[in-house]
């Protein structure tokens, strides 16, 4: 067991550790689910099987030295278990707020659950603000990753009481670290109480040459906003 008590954080770790391979074992989590993005190491073994409970107290010094644009509030906690033998990671996260420059995400809670072939992520917050002004109420992201694919649900103020709200469901397919596709299967977008629909054939393609839009079309009652074309450094490629 390892117990840490300081002005910066308090932490408790219980179980089996191999400090020499701990960092490499953590780095192998994402490659199991997105191998085209990050290649997994061959012939790598580690014996990590421990629970952890980390409570942040005062991160000002750490933020100033390593993350000057970020501020993680006191009271943030991370609890869970990591087992490299069974390829399992469980994490529960909660934080009063996380700040990046002028953006503040309040009342954050989240879960990560990773197994042999699938990783699930669920994160929600009370509010996203900028310059202390509300931007988005009740933002939430739910995602499941595996076999170079991420299925996602994005919710923004997803309740009938809000005049502006959105609910998007779709997927991302990765072909390499710099090539992936995004498609939204279903959408519910309300702007000033008006419902906008999204063309189900929509696609956004990312690669090393630029971003391609195909049938990215929003429409309602004779009004339409559409994107087709490619954004690149070439003057021959046009976005319409």
């Amino acid at each position: 067991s390892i117990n840490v008590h300081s002005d910066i954080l308090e932490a408790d770790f219980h179980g089996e550790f191999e400090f020499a391979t701990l960092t490499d074992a953590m780095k192998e989590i994402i490659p199991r689910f997105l191998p085209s993005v990050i290649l997994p190491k061959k012939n790598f073994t580690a014996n990590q099987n421990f629970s952890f409970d980390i409570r942040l107290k005062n991160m000002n010094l750490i933020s100033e030295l390593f993350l000057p644009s970020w501020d993680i509030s006191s009271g943030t906690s991370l609890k869970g278990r990591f087992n490299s033998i069974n390829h399992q990671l469980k994490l529960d996260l909660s934080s009063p707020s996380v700040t990046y420059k002028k953006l503040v995400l309040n009342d954050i809670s989240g879960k990560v659950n990773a197994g042999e072939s699938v990783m699930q992520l669920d994160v929600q917050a009370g509010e996203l603000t900028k310059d202390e002004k509300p931007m988005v109420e009740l933002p939430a992201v739910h995602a499941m990753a595996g076999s170079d694919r991420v299925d996602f649900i994005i919710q923004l103020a997803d309740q009938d009481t809000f005049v502006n709200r959105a609910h998007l469901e779709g997927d991302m397919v990765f072909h390499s670290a710099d090539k992936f596709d995004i498609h939204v299967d279903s959408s519910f977008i309300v702007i000033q109480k008006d419902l906008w629909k999204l063309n189900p054939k929509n696609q956004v393609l990312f690669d090393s040459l630029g971003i391609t839009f195909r049938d990215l079309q929003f429409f309602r009652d004779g009004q339409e906003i559409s994107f087709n074309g490619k954004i690149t450094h070439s003057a021959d490629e046009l976005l319409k």
Side-chain angles (χ1 to χ4, degrees), residues 154 156-158 162-169 184 186-199 202 216-220:
I154 299 175
L156 306 174
D158 191 14
F162 295 103
V163 297
N164 301 311
R165 60 188 189 275
H167 182 109
L168 305 174
E169 298 186 19
V184 178
S186 64
S187 66
F188 187 89
I189 303 171
V190 176
I191 302 175
Q192 293 298 310
K193 296 184 178 181
D194 292 325
L195 176 63
W196 287 76
K197 296 182 179 180
L198 176 62
N199 187 337
N202 67 87
L216 187 61
Q217 178 188 40
F218 301 88
F219 57 92
R220 66 165 291 270

Side-chain angles (χ1 to χ4, degrees), residues 53-71:
D53 185 352
I54 304 170
R55 290 90 60 198
L56 305 184
K57 297 167 67 175
N58 186 345
M59 295 294 291
N60 291 341
L61 179 60
I62 302 298
S63 297
E64 290 174 4
L65 292 176
F66 303 104
L67 301 168
S69 298
W70 292 82
D71 180 54

Side-chain angles (χ1 to χ4, degrees), residues 13 29 46 67 107 124 177:
F13 300 87
I29 295 173
L67 301 168
D107 299 326
Q124 47 274 326

Side-chain angles (χ1 to χ4, degrees), residues 106-125:
N106 294 306
D107 299 326
I108 307 164
S109 63
K111 291 180 179 292
V112 174
N113 194 343
E116 181 69 35
S117 58
V118 175
M119 170 182 274
Q120 184 172 345
L121 168 71
D122 298 284
V123 179
Q124 47 274 326

Side-chain angles (χ1 to χ4, degrees), residues 20 63 67 77 79 97 105 126 140 147 155 163-164 176 189 205 223:
S63 297
L67 301 168
S77 71
K79 300 179 181 180
S97 68
L105 197 59
S147 301
Q155 297 170 282
V163 297
N164 301 311
S176 67
I189 303 171
L205 316 177
Q223 302 181 56

